[in-house]
Amino acid sequence: MSKATAIVNARVFDGTRLRDWTSVRFADGIITDCATGPTAQDGDEVIDAEGGTILPGLIDSHIHLVPGALAQGLTFGVTTALDMFSQADVMAAARQQAGARSDVADVRSAGIGATAPGGHPSMMYAPFPTLAGPEQAGQFVADRVAEGSDYLKIFGPTGAAGPRAVPSLDLDTITALTEAAHGRGLVVVAHVNSVAGVGKVVSAGVDVVAHVPVDGELGTALAGRIAEAGIAVGPTLATTENFLGEPGGAAVAGDPRLAGILGDAQAQRLASGLSGRRGQGMPPYSRAEENVSRLAGAGVTILAGTDAPNPGTIFGASLHRELELLARCGITPAQALTAATAAPARVFNLSDRGHTAPGQRADLILVSGDPLTDITATRAIERIWRAGVLCDRRAFVANAAETEELDAFDARVAKIVTAVRERRYGSGPTKAS
């Protein structure tokens, strides 16, 4: 048995609310006690939080695996990452890494997402299986289960029409995929980028909508339908703001609470991004926050996810930006924290994490401030434990092979971002005034 640890003199957020506890004890990777008084026993390592706040380890509900993703995420408090598209070999390698090492985040993965031949994200990856109609849905889902996918990702309607349109699955196929996945006990995540697309996937019965649309107002009636259906939404505002030309990546790189662990190379990746580059005819970023506000106001479960490593985002660090942006949508800091802890744990059936409570995994973060009054205090990290193991916080430095793969991924992303901007808005990016 490993030596137990007791954290004392702390505020404790349990995943949904601040408790009156002041002490948390864990041993062998599991939380054993939470109490208003001391929990330490003879022989324990005792850590004085000095009034700091204990949080459950953060869950990033939307990433894409590349080299270093899990290591970098953990250094910023992301103890579990949910991958939303990867080839089977990448998924298997990440799962093996997470199972063998304590210095990387745990991971779950959708594996290969369901899309039409030539549909998104074909431009970003080597050829992968697609499907053309509802009659192929059952086999597609069976193949993903055989490869080890933890849930199903579906790429829904694009919202574009005419010569700019990219092939996409129709409603019958999306519905068939959803039914097949549910028959195998899988959660279904639908990627959408339009208000009309959201309405269609809601009709199909999906469990999670990935991304908040900005092509129009997401009205109260549709928000109510989403809430009534129990569908969660992961807005991925940290990527949306950069895509729409806001300097979100630069804001992350410029925060001294994050910059010290980023390292120069990663800070440069953040700051370069798409900051300051706005396409003609593109909607304002404020529309994204307005749509999230309507969803939250209707009672929709919100999930915090970054869509890293899209331009202007970094694993882990950008989740803290996502929390800040969610809080700007009118939800409380506690609700924003829940979006990165208890909510994704519930939605994705991760019953052993997402809460600070006895019996849960000792995925914990100690921050020096009070994120329940200032959400950016999540960045003032003092310590991180992943399944009870203290994280050695060091900046991620890619080796030569990883750098080459990361550069190649960035090039593919830049290509698709340009194509999407041109397809949706009819022009490439221009410099913002």
Side-chain angles (χ1 to χ4, degrees), residues 165-196:
V166 171
S168 61
L169 301 172
D170 59 25
L171 180 58
D172 287 345
T173 304
I174 295 171
T175 302
L177 282 163
T178 301
E179 292 174 350
H182 285 168
R184 291 178 172 269
L186 299 184
V187 170
V188 178
V189 181
H191 165 108
V192 294
N193 55 32
S194 67
V195 172

mmCIF file of all heavy atoms in Angstrom, residues 165-196:
data_model
loop_
_atom_site.group_PDB
_atom_site.id
_atom_site.type_symbol
_atom_site.label_atom_id
_atom_site.label_comp_id
_atom_site.label_asym_id
_atom_site.label_seq_id
_atom_site.Cartn_x
_atom_site.Cartn_y
_atom_site.Cartn_z
ATOM 1 N N ALA A 165 -21.249 22.931 -50.596
ATOM 2 C CA ALA A 165 -21.627 21.919 -49.615
ATOM 3 C C ALA A 165 -20.655 20.744 -49.614
ATOM 4 O O ALA A 165 -20.161 20.325 -50.658
ATOM 5 C CB ALA A 165 -23.041 21.427 -49.891
ATOM 6 N N VAL A 166 -20.404 20.216 -48.412
ATOM 7 C CA VAL A 166 -19.605 19.004 -48.238
ATOM 8 C C VAL A 166 -20.577 17.858 -47.992
ATOM 9 O O VAL A 166 -21.603 18.038 -47.330
ATOM 10 C CB VAL A 166 -18.645 19.175 -47.043
ATOM 11 C CG1 VAL A 166 -17.967 17.858 -46.693
ATOM 12 C CG2 VAL A 166 -17.609 20.233 -47.350
ATOM 13 N N PRO A 167 -20.300 16.672 -48.525
ATOM 14 C CA PRO A 167 -21.216 15.549 -48.279
ATOM 15 C C PRO A 167 -21.449 15.337 -46.792
ATOM 16 O O PRO A 167 -20.526 15.461 -45.978
ATOM 17 C CB PRO A 167 -20.469 14.363 -48.898
ATOM 18 C CG PRO A 167 -19.570 14.963 -49.930
ATOM 19 C CD PRO A 167 -19.158 16.291 -49.376
ATOM 20 N N SER A 168 -22.680 15.032 -46.431
ATOM 21 C CA SER A 168 -22.999 14.792 -45.028
ATOM 22 C C SER A 168 -24.084 13.734 -44.927
ATOM 23 O O SER A 168 -24.796 13.450 -45.901
ATOM 24 C CB SER A 168 -23.443 16.078 -44.329
ATOM 25 O OG SER A 168 -24.618 16.599 -44.927
ATOM 26 N N LEU A 169 -24.202 13.143 -43.756
ATOM 27 C CA LEU A 169 -25.194 12.097 -43.515
ATOM 28 C C LEU A 169 -26.588 12.698 -43.443
ATOM 29 O O LEU A 169 -26.777 13.798 -42.916
ATOM 30 C CB LEU A 169 -24.876 11.375 -42.205
ATOM 31 C CG LEU A 169 -23.513 10.696 -42.115
ATOM 32 C CD1 LEU A 169 -23.262 10.187 -40.702
ATOM 33 C CD2 LEU A 169 -23.424 9.549 -43.117
ATOM 34 N N ASP A 170 -27.587 11.961 -43.955
ATOM 35 C CA ASP A 170 -28.957 12.445 -43.851
ATOM 36 C C ASP A 170 -29.562 12.031 -42.519
ATOM 37 O O ASP A 170 -28.975 11.261 -41.748
ATOM 38 C CB ASP A 170 -29.806 11.933 -45.027
ATOM 39 C CG ASP A 170 -29.876 10.415 -45.123
ATOM 40 O OD1 ASP A 170 -29.707 9.719 -44.085
ATOM 41 O OD2 ASP A 170 -30.107 9.900 -46.231
ATOM 42 N N LEU A 171 -30.742 12.546 -42.233
ATOM 43 C CA LEU A 171 -31.373 12.328 -40.938
ATOM 44 C C LEU A 171 -31.663 10.845 -40.706
ATOM 45 O O LEU A 171 -31.502 10.348 -39.581
ATOM 46 C CB LEU A 171 -32.663 13.144 -40.828
ATOM 47 C CG LEU A 171 -33.439 13.010 -39.521
ATOM 48 C CD1 LEU A 171 -32.579 13.398 -38.323
ATOM 49 C CD2 LEU A 171 -34.709 13.861 -39.567
ATOM 50 N N ASP A 172 -32.080 10.124 -41.743
ATOM 51 C CA ASP A 172 -32.370 8.693 -41.571
ATOM 52 C C ASP A 172 -31.123 7.928 -41.129
ATOM 53 O O ASP A 172 -31.195 7.044 -40.266
ATOM 54 C CB ASP A 172 -32.914 8.093 -42.870
ATOM 55 C CG ASP A 172 -34.347 8.518 -43.165
ATOM 56 O OD1 ASP A 172 -35.012 9.031 -42.243
ATOM 57 O OD2 ASP A 172 -34.792 8.346 -44.318
ATOM 58 N N THR A 173 -29.979 8.273 -41.713
ATOM 59 C CA THR A 173 -28.736 7.583 -41.364
ATOM 60 C C THR A 173 -28.287 7.958 -39.955
ATOM 61 O O THR A 173 -27.840 7.098 -39.188
ATOM 62 C CB THR A 173 -27.636 7.917 -42.390
ATOM 63 O OG1 THR A 173 -28.093 7.584 -43.705
ATOM 64 C CG2 THR A 173 -26.367 7.128 -42.091
ATOM 65 N N ILE A 174 -28.412 9.229 -39.614
ATOM 66 C CA ILE A 174 -28.055 9.661 -38.261
ATOM 67 C C ILE A 174 -28.937 8.966 -37.235
ATOM 68 O O ILE A 174 -28.462 8.505 -36.184
ATOM 69 C CB ILE A 174 -28.174 11.192 -38.147
ATOM 70 C CG1 ILE A 174 -27.142 11.874 -39.049
ATOM 71 C CG2 ILE A 174 -27.974 11.641 -36.691
ATOM 72 C CD1 ILE A 174 -27.325 13.366 -39.178
ATOM 73 N N THR A 175 -30.220 8.858 -37.537
ATOM 74 C CA THR A 175 -31.143 8.188 -36.620
ATOM 75 C C THR A 175 -30.799 6.712 -36.485
ATOM 76 O O THR A 175 -30.800 6.157 -35.372
ATOM 77 C CB THR A 175 -32.591 8.351 -37.108
ATOM 78 O OG1 THR A 175 -32.901 9.745 -37.211
ATOM 79 C CG2 THR A 175 -33.574 7.688 -36.151
ATOM 80 N N ALA A 176 -30.489 6.064 -37.591
ATOM 81 C CA ALA A 176 -30.136 4.640 -37.561
ATOM 82 C C ALA A 176 -28.851 4.413 -36.773
ATOM 83 O O ALA A 176 -28.733 3.446 -36.010
ATOM 84 C CB ALA A 176 -29.998 4.097 -38.984
ATOM 85 N N LEU A 177 -27.875 5.292 -36.953
ATOM 86 C CA LEU A 177 -26.625 5.189 -36.193
ATOM 87 C C LEU A 177 -26.887 5.358 -34.700
ATOM 88 O O LEU A 177 -26.342 4.624 -33.867
ATOM 89 C CB LEU A 177 -25.644 6.257 -36.665
ATOM 90 C CG LEU A 177 -24.911 5.997 -37.979
ATOM 91 C CD1 LEU A 177 -24.321 7.285 -38.518
ATOM 92 C CD2 LEU A 177 -23.827 4.945 -37.798
ATOM 93 N N THR A 178 -27.719 6.327 -34.364
ATOM 94 C CA THR A 178 -28.035 6.578 -32.959
ATOM 95 C C THR A 178 -28.710 5.376 -32.325
ATOM 96 O O THR A 178 -28.364 4.950 -31.218
ATOM 97 C CB THR A 178 -28.924 7.828 -32.837
ATOM 98 O OG1 THR A 178 -28.240 8.956 -33.406
ATOM 99 C CG2 THR A 178 -29.264 8.119 -31.389
ATOM 100 N N GLU A 179 -29.656 4.806 -33.027
ATOM 101 C CA GLU A 179 -30.362 3.637 -32.501
ATOM 102 C C GLU A 179 -29.425 2.444 -32.347
ATOM 103 O O GLU A 179 -29.476 1.712 -31.347
ATOM 104 C CB GLU A 179 -31.543 3.292 -33.407
ATOM 105 C CG GLU A 179 -32.651 4.343 -33.375
ATOM 106 C CD GLU A 179 -33.750 4.075 -34.391
ATOM 107 O OE1 GLU A 179 -33.561 3.179 -35.256
ATOM 108 O OE2 GLU A 179 -34.791 4.757 -34.333
ATOM 109 N N ALA A 180 -28.547 2.246 -33.332
ATOM 110 C CA ALA A 180 -27.601 1.130 -33.252
ATOM 111 C C ALA A 180 -26.627 1.319 -32.093
ATOM 112 O O ALA A 180 -26.292 0.371 -31.371
ATOM 113 C CB ALA A 180 -26.843 0.991 -34.573
ATOM 114 N N ALA A 181 -26.169 2.541 -31.902
ATOM 115 C CA ALA A 181 -25.235 2.820 -30.813
ATOM 116 C C ALA A 181 -25.917 2.641 -29.463
ATOM 117 O O ALA A 181 -25.347 2.033 -28.539
ATOM 118 C CB ALA A 181 -24.679 4.232 -30.947
ATOM 119 N N HIS A 182 -27.112 3.163 -29.334
ATOM 120 C CA HIS A 182 -27.841 3.004 -28.077
ATOM 121 C C HIS A 182 -28.109 1.533 -27.785
ATOM 122 O O HIS A 182 -28.094 1.106 -26.617
ATOM 123 C CB HIS A 182 -29.159 3.778 -28.132
ATOM 124 C CG HIS A 182 -28.989 5.257 -28.003
ATOM 125 N ND1 HIS A 182 -29.991 6.156 -28.270
ATOM 126 C CD2 HIS A 182 -27.910 6.007 -27.611
ATOM 127 C CE1 HIS A 182 -29.554 7.386 -28.056
ATOM 128 N NE2 HIS A 182 -28.294 7.320 -27.664
ATOM 129 N N GLY A 183 -28.329 0.747 -28.833
ATOM 130 C CA GLY A 183 -28.540 -0.681 -28.643
ATOM 131 C C GLY A 183 -27.325 -1.391 -28.079
ATOM 132 O O GLY A 183 -27.447 -2.465 -27.476
ATOM 133 N N ARG A 184 -26.161 -0.787 -28.249
ATOM 134 C CA ARG A 184 -24.920 -1.347 -27.714
ATOM 135 C C ARG A 184 -24.433 -0.584 -26.477
ATOM 136 O O ARG A 184 -23.305 -0.753 -26.039
ATOM 137 C CB ARG A 184 -23.840 -1.361 -28.797
ATOM 138 C CG ARG A 184 -24.138 -2.375 -29.907
ATOM 139 C CD ARG A 184 -23.080 -2.324 -30.995
ATOM 140 N NE ARG A 184 -23.240 -3.399 -31.963
ATOM 141 C CZ ARG A 184 -22.669 -4.583 -31.884
ATOM 142 N NH1 ARG A 184 -21.873 -4.864 -30.856
ATOM 143 N NH2 ARG A 184 -22.860 -5.498 -32.807
ATOM 144 N N GLY A 185 -25.276 0.281 -25.958
ATOM 145 C CA GLY A 185 -24.946 0.998 -24.728
ATOM 146 C C GLY A 185 -24.001 2.155 -24.894
ATOM 147 O O GLY A 185 -23.387 2.598 -23.912
ATOM 148 N N LEU A 186 -23.870 2.694 -26.115
ATOM 149 C CA LEU A 186 -22.948 3.791 -26.366
ATOM 150 C C LEU A 186 -23.650 5.140 -26.306
ATOM 151 O O LEU A 186 -24.772 5.303 -26.811
ATOM 152 C CB LEU A 186 -22.296 3.654 -27.747
ATOM 153 C CG LEU A 186 -21.453 2.408 -28.035
ATOM 154 C CD1 LEU A 186 -20.823 2.541 -29.419
ATOM 155 C CD2 LEU A 186 -20.387 2.218 -26.979
ATOM 156 N N VAL A 187 -22.996 6.109 -25.707
ATOM 157 C CA VAL A 187 -23.421 7.501 -25.789
ATOM 158 C C VAL A 187 -23.139 7.996 -27.205
ATOM 159 O O VAL A 187 -22.139 7.607 -27.829
ATOM 160 C CB VAL A 187 -22.651 8.351 -24.753
ATOM 161 C CG1 VAL A 187 -22.881 9.839 -24.951
ATOM 162 C CG2 VAL A 187 -23.041 7.922 -23.343
ATOM 163 N N VAL A 188 -24.015 8.856 -27.732
ATOM 164 C CA VAL A 188 -23.870 9.364 -29.095
ATOM 165 C C VAL A 188 -23.625 10.869 -29.059
ATOM 166 O O VAL A 188 -24.416 11.626 -28.498
ATOM 167 C CB VAL A 188 -25.120 9.064 -29.939
ATOM 168 C CG1 VAL A 188 -24.972 9.658 -31.343
ATOM 169 C CG2 VAL A 188 -25.356 7.560 -30.023
ATOM 170 N N VAL A 189 -22.516 11.286 -29.681
ATOM 171 C CA VAL A 189 -22.139 12.691 -29.783
ATOM 172 C C VAL A 189 -22.293 13.122 -31.230
ATOM 173 O O VAL A 189 -21.765 12.470 -32.135
ATOM 174 C CB VAL A 189 -20.685 12.912 -29.334
ATOM 175 C CG1 VAL A 189 -20.306 14.389 -29.432
ATOM 176 C CG2 VAL A 189 -20.461 12.384 -27.928
ATOM 177 N N ALA A 190 -23.014 14.215 -31.460
ATOM 178 C CA ALA A 190 -23.226 14.701 -32.832
ATOM 179 C C ALA A 190 -22.509 16.020 -33.041
ATOM 180 O O ALA A 190 -22.737 16.989 -32.305
ATOM 181 C CB ALA A 190 -24.712 14.865 -33.109
ATOM 182 N N HIS A 191 -21.642 16.059 -34.050
ATOM 183 C CA HIS A 191 -20.956 17.282 -34.457
ATOM 184 C C HIS A 191 -21.887 18.065 -35.381
ATOM 185 O O HIS A 191 -22.363 17.544 -36.388
ATOM 186 C CB HIS A 191 -19.665 16.903 -35.195
ATOM 187 C CG HIS A 191 -19.041 18.017 -35.979
ATOM 188 N ND1 HIS A 191 -17.884 18.634 -35.582
ATOM 189 C CD2 HIS A 191 -19.400 18.621 -37.146
ATOM 190 C CE1 HIS A 191 -17.550 19.561 -36.461
ATOM 191 N NE2 HIS A 191 -18.450 19.572 -37.415
ATOM 192 N N VAL A 192 -22.138 19.329 -35.026
ATOM 193 C CA VAL A 192 -22.970 20.187 -35.875
ATOM 194 C C VAL A 192 -22.343 21.573 -35.944
ATOM 195 O O VAL A 192 -21.545 21.950 -35.079
ATOM 196 C CB VAL A 192 -24.416 20.311 -35.349
ATOM 197 C CG1 VAL A 192 -25.141 18.992 -35.411
ATOM 198 C CG2 VAL A 192 -24.438 20.857 -33.934
ATOM 199 N N ASN A 193 -22.704 22.331 -36.983
ATOM 200 C CA ASN A 193 -22.189 23.700 -37.073
ATOM 201 C C ASN A 193 -23.258 24.681 -37.543
ATOM 202 O O ASN A 193 -22.937 25.773 -37.991
ATOM 203 C CB ASN A 193 -20.959 23.761 -38.003
ATOM 204 C CG ASN A 193 -21.251 23.202 -39.384
ATOM 205 O OD1 ASN A 193 -22.368 23.296 -39.882
ATOM 206 N ND2 ASN A 193 -20.232 22.630 -40.004
ATOM 207 N N SER A 194 -24.537 24.297 -37.424
ATOM 208 C CA SER A 194 -25.612 25.201 -37.815
ATOM 209 C C SER A 194 -26.810 24.988 -36.903
ATOM 210 O O SER A 194 -26.994 23.913 -36.323
ATOM 211 C CB SER A 194 -26.029 24.950 -39.267
ATOM 212 O OG SER A 194 -26.644 23.674 -39.394
ATOM 213 N N VAL A 195 -27.622 26.024 -36.788
ATOM 214 C CA VAL A 195 -28.838 25.915 -35.979
ATOM 215 C C VAL A 195 -29.755 24.852 -36.557
ATOM 216 O O VAL A 195 -30.338 24.046 -35.822
ATOM 217 C CB VAL A 195 -29.542 27.287 -35.897
ATOM 218 C CG1 VAL A 195 -30.898 27.140 -35.220
ATOM 219 C CG2 VAL A 195 -28.680 28.291 -35.156
ATOM 220 N N ALA A 196 -29.887 24.826 -37.891
ATOM 221 C CA ALA A 196 -30.732 23.812 -38.529
ATOM 222 C C ALA A 196 -30.208 22.413 -38.232
ATOM 223 O O ALA A 196 -30.989 21.484 -37.990
ATOM 224 C CB ALA A 196 -30.796 24.050 -40.031
#
